[in-house]
Amino acid sequence: MANLPEVLARCQPPHLAALETIIRDEQQAHEAHDGPAAIRLSAAFHIQLQAISGNSVLTEMVTRLCQRSSLAIAVWGAPWRQGCRCHDHERLIALLRQRDLPALSAAIEQHFSHIVASLRLRA
């Protein structure tokens, strides 16, 4: 995310609580083997994270990207785990709390790499 400094500057406890609620619901969806809900909640996490920045243009772009990537994950994602890894999201929240920009940037990059690696794009 190019605007992580803005996210860190604006991030408040209510933002973190909202992200934690999404993670909890996402974990419950995984436990219930509800792939569509897990994918939807994973996307909601990313959109909410971006929305903290206050940049409505980038938030709309992330929303559209999440809609498209959710379709790709639903079609090509590993069947055992749809959406993102909840522990990745928990780590991102921990780094937001620490306000550690370099570590947060690296963790987000690694998180997106995990998502791409989970796709089964080859026959």
Side-chain angles (χ1 to χ4, degrees):
M1 283 175 59
N3 65 337
L4 276 179
E6 290 82 8
V7 171
L8 285 176
R10 296 175 54 98
C11 189
Q12 299 296 317
H15 296 123
L16 297 171
L19 291 170
E20 288 168 337
T21 297
I22 293 169
I23 290 172
R24 185 188 67 243
D25 294 345
E26 181 186 6
Q27 183 62 42
Q28 289 173 350
H30 282 294
E31 290 168 3
H33 303 287
D34 186 350
I39 292 170
R40 185 182 74 253
L41 289 160
S42 180
F45 178 89
H46 292 267
I47 294 165
Q48 181 66 32
L49 180 61
Q50 167 52 46
I52 294 170
S53 74
N55 185 323
S56 61
V57 173
L58 284 178
T59 300
E60 178 62 27
M61 290 173 64
V62 167
T63 299
R64 292 187 186 279
L65 286 170
C66 283
Q67 290 167 342
R68 289 186 176 110
S69 64
S70 293
L71 290 173
I73 291 168
V75 173
W76 292 295
W80 56 270
R81 190 66 146 181
Q82 298 203 315
C84 297
R85 301 173 183 193
C86 295
H87 66 273
D88 281 1
H89 289 168
E90 291 168 351
R91 177 163 161 63
L92 295 176
I93 288 177
L95 293 170
L96 279 169
R97 284 189 194 286
Q98 295 169 17
R99 300 199 178 275
D100 186 340
L101 181 59
L104 182 60
S105 296
I108 286 178
E109 186 175 319
Q110 183 180 38
H111 178 57
F112 288 127
S113 294
H114 288 159
I115 295 167
V116 172
S118 75
L119 300 176
R120 299 171 300 146
L121 300 174
R122 294 184 181 89

